[in-house]
Amino acid sequence: MKAIDQRRLTKTKSVSLFRDERKGLLAVRFRTVSEDLVVHSGTLGHERCAGTGAANLTQATERIMKRAASRFLNGPGSKKKGWLKVPLYRRLRQSVTTITVDSAAEEVVSSELMRTALTPGQKLLTPNLRFVVRDKTHSSRRITSRPWAADEALKSTLNLLGHGPGSIAKLLQHSPEIQRIFRDFAETSDSQVNHVVRNFRAAAHRFESHAKPLGRTLLHLHACIRTALHLVQTRTDKASTKAKNWLLALTEEHCLQAAMMASSLQLTRLMDHEDTDPANLGTELRLYLNTIRGLFCEKRCLTIFGFTRTMLETLKTPIVFQVGRKTRSLGSALGVSEAVQDTCLKRMVAFAHLADAAIRAEFPSFELAQAFEVFDLRSTPQNPEEHLQRIATACKLNFQELHRQWEDIFPRAQVQLKSSGATASKDAWKLALEQIIDTSRGKSDTERRVSALKGALVQYFAFGLSSSGVEQAFSKGAWAFHARRQRASPDKEDFCLKVIHDNHLYHDDEIFQLARVVWQQCYGMPRTHGRPRADKGIKRPLSQDACTEINFLRKRRREAAEAGAQVRGDIIRMDDLEPEVWTEAHTRELDFQRRKTNARKVQAYAENSLLEKEVDENLAEQADECKEKLVQNALKRKALQERVRRAQGASASDVKSALQGCRAYLAVPATMQLQSCIVGHGLAETKVLSRADVIICHEPGRSVDWRLQCVSAVRGCYEVSPNFLMHGRGAALKVTRSALLPRVLLASHLCARNADVFKLLREALPSGHRWVISKSELATLPDLQARYRAGLAYIVVADVEMSSQVLMGVKHCYSVTSLLEKLRKVDLEKSFFGLARWLMATLGTSRTPRVLRFGSDFSGLDSAYLALKRLNVPVRHCFCSDKDAKCLSLLQALHKPEVCFDDVTLRKAEEESYVDLYLTTPPCQAFSAAGQGHGAADGRGTLISSSMKYVQHKRPRCVVVENVRGLLQKKHRPIYRGILKTFKKLGYVVSSRVLDAQDYQVAQVRKRVFIVAIRRRDSRRQRFEWPKPLGKRSLSAILDPPVRTDKPGRLPKSERPKKLARMAMSKIWAQGVDPCKVPCAIDVGCSERYLTWKVGVAPTLCRARGGSGGFWLSSRGRKTTLRELMRITGINPEELQGWEACCTGPQLGQMLGNSVPVPLIQAVLQNALLASGLLTQSRSNAT
């Protein structure tokens, strides 16, 4: 079906859109007309949660149009991907000439945004959109609803017998039990029809929500009264109270007035269809006006068949009933009195006058829809030249050619309507044009005879009066595509609803042919089936003589139309109106309709559909004012969106970037984890509050410490919660720097005695500030303030001085507390309020999180497990392996894996368990420059095969391999290529890269090659990207605080280490660096040939160096401590708490030398888990 739609769109000459929105669902239908006048219509698409406002509606319409111009959605298991057909999308945008919407302001403004550039740089969605049509079904409903609302008597009657909250129709609408009671009474009550209805269709969203409740209440009046009496007698709930009030309020006048109102409801039914012919619009409107004049002004409603005469007959039989202790009666044997009839008719005459004004406003004669009356073949058009002139002007056609061709072909089309069996004017026009083209003597002759008329007919065929197709699609779609399916993709929802709504618009043969092609592309040749299709049966014919509701209405409409056809002249004059029924509300409603008519005329002028004689000198000015108002509103909306965007604050990543390099003051207890996070974010801790750029406190924005408030306001600090640094949750508020603006603080002597405040204030002021702080007597402060311009000088006094008579009426007078509140303003654009991050984390973990199955080989300290814990990923440690018994003991104590293997070469396949994430770090000595470098000849160089066997057996979702970069050397490259080839054969997507740990907040130079393999079927979720560098971390940031025994520049006691340290320090001095002040790490355990040192960072830590105490620190005159070695590898000492019970210090140092730096493997694992679908984006953001 979508392929058929796209075929029609590629050949279209004009496209009309029908759009409406209900309960967050935006629906768009379309109608295309080709060059040869072939019409095709259907559902363009739907958009859920499109948002409110004209801009959101326009963007949602654009997304719907893009989906409609995209390749079809693939079937289950199909590997073909869809794409946007750009030429088709461009043609769709260029071909839209008409859009039909309701009269909601957002819909109309959105349509203007689609065709008019209101702001600079605005992209036009439909540049050729010429006509914005207000839905005529809604307009027809307003013809009765607004005049009725202007008359209190008609309004109360409608509420009582129509769809008011206390009406019997509303009680029936919402209660199946009351419906059952009504049906039982209706079968045994005196009624004007034999057919018993189920409910009165009093739903407020229905177009005919007046006609059905009114008509059915009147036709089943006896059953309604019996139902209400039953509720009063058997119930004590709200329904009983409403029924009692309804019975007590019911009178003969109400019943007769409601019958007359029901007789005036017949126009909406004619408009309530998407295919309403605009050529019939003028005829139907004139007939309706004549009908209501004949019914009410000439009092024919009292004599012809209809609701009024039926109600008069009903009331000739008295209806008596008891409501509590009150006896009520309706009607009498003499019928309704003349006075009541005259009063009801006078109200309807006033209604008829307002209805005439409403029709002129809702259906103005200068609208293009009225001009299409020239194509009505069932009657002779009135003023055809004027209508053709309007069509030629609006559609940019030559009037003389259009008029000549219309005069030539109009009689031919009338003949086709009578002789060919065409059921509508459009079919006859199409047949007449085909006849002319067939008899033409060439293309030039065809152009001469039909070109202008064909252009007008294309617009006539495409023009839509009503969006009822969209309205009706909402109810059907809600029934078929219910709330449980609303999580489906937009493409799938579009397809399902298209099948539901538009299946009857397509030829089965064409659908079957295309379905075979689609099936063949996705799954191969289809199988044939020879069984015949089952018939659904034939609808039962209804008897035309049966006394049913539909036959009653048909007879009423027929006789009302006959009465209207006999009326000639104007509908009514103001002189004919009775003053007792024409109130001030009627006058206000009449003025409103006149203003509305003028507004529609301005729109018609902007759409170029007015004739020259209809244009006056004020229209151009009014049109310019309307456009200027639209532009101003668009700019206001844009400014409001920008303010809203700023008020939402910055992202957490932006704030963290802004914090790098700042000085942080801790107003909370300093834990090791918090200090580690401070260093990790590139902050430098300071003990001096007045020099801080970042204040870490428990309650950002609500601190009660005046010292923090003062420094934060003056310096413009960030107030950050500890959780923001450690877990990415919590707030980080940026306070505006008040010291940037010039300010004069005039303090009283009593206030100046609080020296701590002003001392801290002066210390906190940054260099280059423009503040002046002085003190003086309280009585002289107002005079001193007056010397400065208004708002520049602030008076600061003590709390007890605030009530002084000297300060009465003086502006900008503050105490110290109120001054700090005045100065302290939060910069919304640069702050992070904690809402977005917390919301994403909550949404990402609203369901029970999936537990990640993790396993590792050659585990060491299992840095990957520590990284997963930092990522807050629920993890199940399935197995680990290492040949070192002490290492296995430490792993069991700290990480508690389910199984530990001491030799992977002896592990059997049945002992292995499946994991989602598998990490292996085979021994590196066989490939390392520090080792022998024998490669596969070394027994340790072949251990990687054990890992590949596990991958082959269990096929984990994601695999990470880490080793030294010597694996990439020429002599070892076959092993490296073999690993990649094996992964690809096993169905993995492989990526590899050399990463340096010092680029990921690790104070160690450690270059290692990483191989990330993701199962191919899982790699489609998101492309794997290598992590971006996070910045460097200095060696001084991870060292323990200095102690007395530290002596900068001191050399080791042993001879060879002393010689190596002296050589290294002399070379460092030669580089212009003082090793006594700048921490330098020197490897004093190697030979002179391999002497290594680094300034501000540690060299690569190996197993041997970790076991011998690490590196010599020149600025401390000692070797690194074990805790410092942990931080060099990116491990917080708290994460290995309790290691002393499992191994010695040198043994732990050896494990640290073999371990992968935790921040580095954390960055790799985060991106690998995202790409394989094991970690959601929301959880990734939350970490």
Side-chain angles (χ1 to χ4, degrees):
M1 294 170 68
K2 186 173 183 179
I4 296 174
D5 289 347
Q6 293 181 352
R7 285 183 181 179
R8 302 292 192 271
L9 289 172
T10 55
K11 300 177 182 179
T12 185
K13 188 72 175 177
S14 178
V15 176
S16 290
L17 299 181
F18 305 86
R19 184 179 67 187
D20 201 0
E21 186 268 343
R22 182 194 293 177
K23 296 182 180 179
L25 176 63
L26 182 71
V28 181
R29 291 180 60 82
F30 72 98
R31 179 188 298 162
T32 67
V33 181
S34 63
E35 183 75 24
D36 53 355
L37 300 182
V38 175
V39 180
H40 177 73
S41 60
T43 300
L44 193 69
H46 299 74
E47 183 73 16
R48 286 200 179 274
C49 303
T52 59
N56 288 330
L57 290 178
T58 305
Q59 294 170 5
T61 305
E62 181 180 8
R63 292 193 292 270
I64 290 173
M65 293 173 66
K66 284 186 176 180
R67 286 203 301 271
S70 300
R71 187 181 181 273
F72 61 87
L73 188 67
N74 298 292
S78 175
K79 298 180 180 180
K80 295 181 179 293
K81 295 183 179 180
W83 64 83
L84 176 65
K85 298 180 178 180
V86 178
L88 176 61
Y89 175 61
R90 189 182 299 116
R91 184 173 183 83
L92 174 59
R93 290 178 51 211
Q94 298 291 335
S95 301
V96 175
T97 59
T98 308
I99 184 169
T100 303
V101 297
D102 59 28
S103 296
E106 293 177 352
E107 290 276 7
V108 177
V109 174
S110 172
S111 304
E112 291 295 334
L113 291 176
M114 292 169 63
R115 66 176 178 178
T116 308
L118 300 180
T119 56
Q122 178 185 337
K123 173 187 172 184
L124 298 182
L125 180 59
T126 52
N128 295 325
L129 176 62
R130 293 197 294 267
F131 310 110
V132 178
V133 184
R134 314 288 180 96
D135 180 49
K136 300 307 178 187
T137 312
H138 287 87
S139 300
S140 65
R141 186 180 179 185
R142 286 191 291 271
I143 290 174
T144 54
S145 62
R146 290 195 62 89
W148 286 352
D151 192 314
E152 286 298 329
L154 298 183
K155 184 178 179 181
S156 63
T157 301
L158 181 64
N159 288 332
L160 183 65
L161 293 168
H163 55 53
S167 66
I168 194 68
K170 278 291 184 181
L171 289 175
L172 282 168
Q173 179 69 27
H174 301 296
S175 174
E177 174 60 19
I178 299 178
Q179 291 176 14
R180 182 192 63 78
I181 297 170
F182 169 78
R183 287 197 300 271
D184 293 341
F185 285 130
E187 291 176 356
T188 58
S189 298
D190 187 13
S191 176
Q192 301 301 321
V193 294
N194 295 332
H195 180 67
V196 179
V197 297
R198 293 188 176 183
N199 62 54
F200 284 7
R201 298 170 66 92
H205 68 273
R206 299 186 186 276
F207 282 131
E208 291 191 300
S209 58
H210 298 323
K212 293 293 184 182
L214 266 179
R216 291 183 173 180
T217 302
L218 297 174
L219 292 177
H220 300 278
L221 182 61
H222 290 77
C224 290
I225 294 175
R226 292 179 65 183
T227 302
L229 289 172
H230 180 81
L231 295 178
V232 172
Q233 296 166 0
T234 59
R235 292 194 179 193
T236 58
D237 55 2
K238 290 183 179 180
S240 173
T241 305
K242 290 181 179 181
K244 181 178 180 180
N245 294 335
W246 183 79
L247 289 170
L248 292 176
L250 191 63
T251 63
E252 298 174 3
E253 184 176 344
H254 281 130
C255 295
L256 183 60
Q257 192 72 74
M260 292 183 181
M261 295 169 67
S263 299
S264 65
L265 290 168
Q266 58 187 16
L267 188 60
T268 300
R269 181 187 60 85
L270 301 174
M271 305 290 177
D272 192 12
H273 200 278
E274 187 177 87
D275 296 329
T276 301
D277 192 347
N280 301 331
L281 181 61
T283 304
E284 295 292 348
L285 292 175
R286 287 192 296 272
L287 178 60
Y288 176 73
L289 287 174
N290 289 336
T291 299
I292 61 175
R293 185 189 177 217
L295 290 176
F296 308 125
C297 300
E298 299 181 4
K299 302 183 180 182
R300 296 186 183 181
C301 64
L302 302 177
T303 57
I304 67 171
F305 182 81
F307 284 108
T308 305
R309 198 183 79 179
T310 302
M311 183 52 62
L312 289 174
E313 294 293 332
T314 302
L315 294 178
K316 285 183 179 181
T317 302
I319 307 172
V320 183
F321 50 89
Q322 189 80 14
V323 183
R325 296 183 179 181
K326 295 182 180 180
T327 303
R328 300 284 297 166
S329 66
L330 293 177
S332 68
L334 299 176
V336 181
S337 65
E338 293 285 342
V340 173
Q341 294 182 29
D342 290 342
T343 302
C344 294
L345 282 173
K346 289 176 183 178
R347 295 193 189 109
M348 297 309 295
V349 170
F351 153 75
H353 188 70
L354 289 181
D356 178 35
I359 287 178
R360 297 178 190 276
E362 301 288 352
F363 302 89
S365 59
F366 46 76
E367 202 173 33
L368 182 62
Q370 302 274 23
F372 287 130
E373 185 181 354
V374 295
F375 298 124
D376 184 11
L377 301 175
R378 302 183 186 276
S379 61
T380 302
Q382 299 180 4
N383 304 322
E385 291 82 6
E386 182 178 322
H387 291 325
L388 290 172
Q389 178 69 51
R390 194 182 310 279
I391 293 173
T393 304
C395 300
K396 300 179 181 179
L397 302 172
N398 186 282
F399 169 66
Q400 283 75 20
E401 289 187 8
L402 177 61
H403 187 264
R404 176 180 55 80
Q405 294 172 11
W406 178 84
E407 287 184 331
D408 177 34
I409 303 177
F410 183 79
R412 302 171 187 264
Q414 284 185 318
V415 173
Q416 291 290 343
L417 182 64
K418 296 177 182 178
S419 62
S420 64
T423 58
S425 297
K426 292 182 179 181
D427 297 333
W429 277 106
K430 183 179 177 182
L431 292 173
L433 239 62
E434 291 176 354
Q435 184 181 22
I436 293 294
I437 294 173
D438 292 340
T439 59
S440 299
R441 288 174 287 183
K443 185 176 181 180
S444 59
D445 186 35
T446 304
E447 292 289 333
R448 180 183 62 82
R449 299 180 66 180
V450 301
S451 59
L453 182 61
K454 181 181 286 188
L457 287 173
V458 166
Q459 191 59 58
Y460 162 56
F461 278 44
F463 202 86
L465 293 178
S466 173
S467 60
S468 293
V470 183
E471 291 276 354
Q472 294 159 6
F474 282 132
S475 299
K476 188 184 292 186
W479 171 78
F481 207 87
H482 47 78
R484 296 180 183 178
R485 302 182 63 186
Q486 288 180 6
R487 295 183 63 181
S489 66
D491 297 281
K492 179 155 290 186
E493 182 174 1
D494 283 349
F495 284 148
C496 293
L497 294 178
K498 180 180 284 294
V499 172
I500 294 167
H501 301 321
D502 304 335
N503 190 32
H504 64 285
L505 300 176
Y506 298 84
H507 296 293
D508 291 345
D509 295 339
E510 190 174 11
I511 292 180
F512 294 156
Q513 182 181 359
L514 286 172
R516 292 189 187 98
V517 175
V518 173
W519 185 278
Q520 182 176 351
Q521 289 182 354
C522 294
Y523 308 110
M525 291 295 293
R527 294 175 293 178
T528 59
H529 206 290
R531 288 186 296 180
R533 293 174 58 85
D535 198 320
K536 293 184 179 180
I538 302 174
K539 190 175 181 180
R540 289 186 304 172
L542 294 177
S543 172
Q544 298 298 322
D545 298 329
C547 186
T548 61
E549 181 185 18
I550 186 64
N551 289 340
F552 178 91
L553 295 176
R554 285 173 180 170
K555 184 177 179 181
R556 180 192 71 83
R557 292 169 192 150
R558 185 167 58 252
E559 295 202 13
E562 292 175 358
Q566 301 174 11
V567 177
R568 296 289 183 269
D570 296 335
I571 180 168
I572 196 169
R573 297 184 301 273
M574 287 292 293
D575 298 338
D576 300 333
L577 298 175
E578 296 290 341
E580 62 266 21
V581 296
W582 186 267
T583 63
E584 183 128 350
H586 291 79
T587 305
R588 289 196 301 268
E589 179 62 24
L590 188 62
D591 293 339
F592 170 79
Q593 298 296 349
R594 288 170 179 170
R595 292 194 302 271
K596 192 171 188 178
T597 303
N598 185 67
R600 291 293 179 86
K601 195 170 185 179
V602 173
Q603 180 185 348
Y605 173 81
E607 293 178 349
N608 199 28
S609 61
L610 290 182
L611 301 181
E612 187 175 351
K613 65 179 182 180
E614 297 171 339
V615 179
D616 55 47
E617 56 184 9
N618 296 327
L619 275 180
E621 183 179 351
Q622 293 178 11
D624 292 339
E625 289 178 359
C626 289
K627 185 173 182 180
E628 181 64 24
K629 187 176 180 180
L630 284 174
V631 172
Q632 294 299 328
N633 290 338
L635 294 176
K636 289 180 181 178
R637 285 193 298 271
K638 191 173 182 180
L640 177 61
Q641 291 173 358
E642 182 64 21
R643 288 198 300 271
V644 171
R645 185 192 64 80
R646 292 180 178 178
Q648 290 175 350
S651 63
S653 58
D654 292 339
V655 173
K656 288 181 180 180
S657 300
L659 294 181
Q660 292 187 0
C662 296
R663 289 168 292 192
Y665 175 81
L666 284 175
V668 297
T671 64
M672 185 65 69
Q673 183 181 4
L674 179 58
Q675 289 181 329
S676 175
C677 292
I678 290 174
V679 176
H681 287 87
L683 294 167
E685 186 179 351
T686 179
K687 301 297 183 181
V688 183
L689 175 61
S690 60
R691 289 293 174 260
D693 302 313
V694 179
I695 298 176
I696 302 174
C697 55
H698 284 305
E699 295 182 336
R702 289 199 311 163
S703 177
V704 296
D705 191 340
W706 65 267
R707 299 169 63 252
L708 301 182
Q709 294 180 11
C710 179
V711 175
S712 178
V714 174
R715 296 184 60 83
C717 297
Y718 274 98
E719 296 183 9
V720 181
S721 65
N723 279 338
F724 177 80
L725 297 177
M726 293 188 293
H727 307 296
R729 299 176 180 175
L733 302 184
K734 176 68 170 70
V735 181
T736 304
R737 179 179 289 188
S738 58
L740 293 177
L741 299 176
R743 192 72 61 202
V744 177
L745 299 185
L746 304 174
S748 65
H749 284 297
L750 181 59
C751 180
R753 292 178 184 175
N754 191 354
D756 293 340
V757 175
F758 292 96
K759 179 181 178 181
L760 181 62
L761 191 62
R762 289 188 174 92
E763 291 176 353
L765 286 171
S767 59
H769 71 87
R770 300 167 62 187
W771 277 34
V772 176
I773 303 176
S774 64
K775 62 181 179 178
S776 181
E777 294 291 338
L778 177 64
T780 62
L781 291 180
D783 295 333
L784 292 176
Q785 185 189 46
R787 297 178 183 178
Y788 301 94
R789 71 172 187 268
L792 180 63
Y794 291 171
I795 295 176
V796 188
V797 297
D799 292 337
V800 296
E801 296 175 323
M802 288 295 294
S803 58
S804 174
Q805 292 293 331
V806 178
L807 302 178
M808 294 295 292
V810 178
K811 296 183 178 180
H812 302 296
C813 181
Y814 305 97
S815 64
V816 173
T817 304
S818 60
L819 175 66
L820 294 179
E821 294 178 356
K822 172 71 176 178
L823 296 177
R824 191 175 176 281
K825 296 180 180 179
V826 177
D827 190 338
L828 299 178
E829 189 173 3
K830 297 180 180 179
S831 299
F832 176 75
F833 300 101
L835 296 175
R837 176 62 56 86
W838 179 251
L839 179 63
M840 286 190 295
T842 303
L843 292 179
T845 60
S846 59
R847 294 175 295 177
T848 303
R850 183 180 185 274
V851 178
L852 178 73
R853 296 173 61 91
F854 168 71
S856 62
D857 280 332
F858 316 104
S859 305
L861 286 176
D862 223 342
S863 302
Y865 183 79
L866 297 176
L868 292 174
K869 300 296 285 185
R870 291 187 182 182
L871 289 172
N872 292 329
V873 176
V875 58
R876 175 184 172 187
H877 202 337
C878 296
F879 67 85
C880 65
S881 69
D882 203 282
K883 68 174 184 178
D884 190 344
K886 294 293 184 180
C887 185
L888 287 180
S889 176
L890 182 61
L891 289 175
Q892 289 175 336
L894 297 180
H895 304 333
K896 298 178 174 56
E898 297 177 1
V899 182
C900 293
F901 299 100
D902 56 358
D903 192 342
V904 294
T905 60
L906 302 179
R907 185 173 59 194
K908 298 179 181 180
E910 55 270 17
E911 297 176 339
E912 298 172 344
S913 59
Y914 169 81
V915 294
D916 301 311
L917 174 64
Y918 174 62
L919 183 130
T920 177
T921 56
C924 61
Q925 292 87 343
F927 313 107
S928 173
Q932 300 297 323
H934 294 312
D938 190 334
R940 294 170 295 185
T942 60
L943 292 177
I944 184 63
S945 60
S946 300
S947 299
M948 301 310 295
K949 287 180 181 178
Y950 173 79
V951 175
Q952 182 180 5
H953 293 159
K954 298 300 179 182
R955 305 292 173 91
R957 196 162 174 174
C958 180
V959 182
V960 179
V961 182
E962 182 266 354
N963 215 294
V964 294
R965 61 174 178 170
L967 186 63
L968 304 179
Q969 292 180 1
K970 185 176 181 180
K971 60 180 179 179
H972 304 312
R973 201 169 297 164
I975 299 177
Y976 169 73
R977 290 176 177 171
I979 296 173
L980 300 184
K981 188 176 180 180
T982 302
F983 274 124
K984 292 178 181 178
K985 283 185 177 180
L986 295 176
Y988 284 83
V989 177
V990 192
S991 300
S992 64
R993 181 171 293 187
V994 175
L995 301 177
D996 192 348
Q998 67 173 332
D999 295 331
Y1000 296 89
Q1001 295 287 329
V1002 179
Q1004 178 188 175
V1005 177
R1006 192 181 188 93
K1007 296 182 179 180
R1008 291 293 185 267
V1009 61
F1010 285 86
I1011 301 174
V1012 176
I1014 300 173
R1015 236 167 25 192
R1016 183 171 287 109
R1017 66 173 179 267
D1018 300 310
S1019 64
R1020 299 172 189 159
R1021 301 170 183 269
Q1022 182 176 330
R1023 182 181 178 183
F1024 173 74
E1025 296 181 357
W1026 289 99
K1028 297 179 181 179
L1030 302 178
K1032 301 182 183 298
R1033 189 177 187 183
S1034 65
L1035 186 60
S1036 58
I1038 59 97
L1039 297 181
D1040 293 337
V1043 295
R1044 292 182 180 180
T1045 56
D1046 291 348
K1047 185 176 181 181
R1050 180 169 55 191
L1051 298 177
K1053 295 181 179 180
S1054 301
E1055 195 62 33
R1056 192 178 70 169
K1058 181 188 295 184
K1059 180 180 179 181
L1060 294 175
R1062 185 182 291 111
M1063 292 174 58
M1065 292 175 68
S1066 62
K1067 293 182 179 180
I1068 295 172
W1069 275 106
Q1071 295 177 359
V1073 178
D1074 186 357
C1076 298
K1077 296 181 180 180
V1078 179
C1080 303
I1082 307 171
D1083 186 359
V1084 296
C1086 60
S1087 62
E1088 294 183 17
R1089 178 182 177 184
Y1090 295 103
L1091 176 61
T1092 306
W1093 76 90
K1094 294 292 179 183
V1095 178
V1097 68
T1100 302
L1101 182 65
C1102 61
R1103 175 182 173 86
R1105 204 61 59 240
S1108 61
F1111 307 105
W1112 187 263
L1113 300 176
S1114 62
S1115 61
R1116 300 292 177 89
R1118 60 171 176 81
K1119 276 194 173 184
T1120 52
T1121 65
L1122 199 57
R1123 295 175 65 88
E1124 290 171 342
L1125 286 181
M1126 295 181 193
R1127 298 190 198 106
I1128 285 177
T1129 57
I1131 298 176
N1132 295 326
E1134 289 81 3
E1135 293 177 311
L1136 299 182
Q1137 190 173 5
W1139 62 268
E1140 297 90 346
C1142 303
C1143 59
T1144 63
Q1147 290 172 340
L1148 180 60
Q1150 292 177 350
M1151 300 176 198
L1152 291 171
N1154 275 341
S1155 66
V1156 185
V1158 177
L1160 174 59
I1161 192 63
Q1162 177 181 343
V1164 173
L1165 289 182
Q1166 182 171 2
N1167 286 17
L1169 295 177
L1170 279 172
S1172 58
L1174 294 170
L1175 182 66
T1176 61
Q1177 187 66 49
S1178 59
R1179 182 176 289 278
S1180 174
N1181 291 338
T1183 56

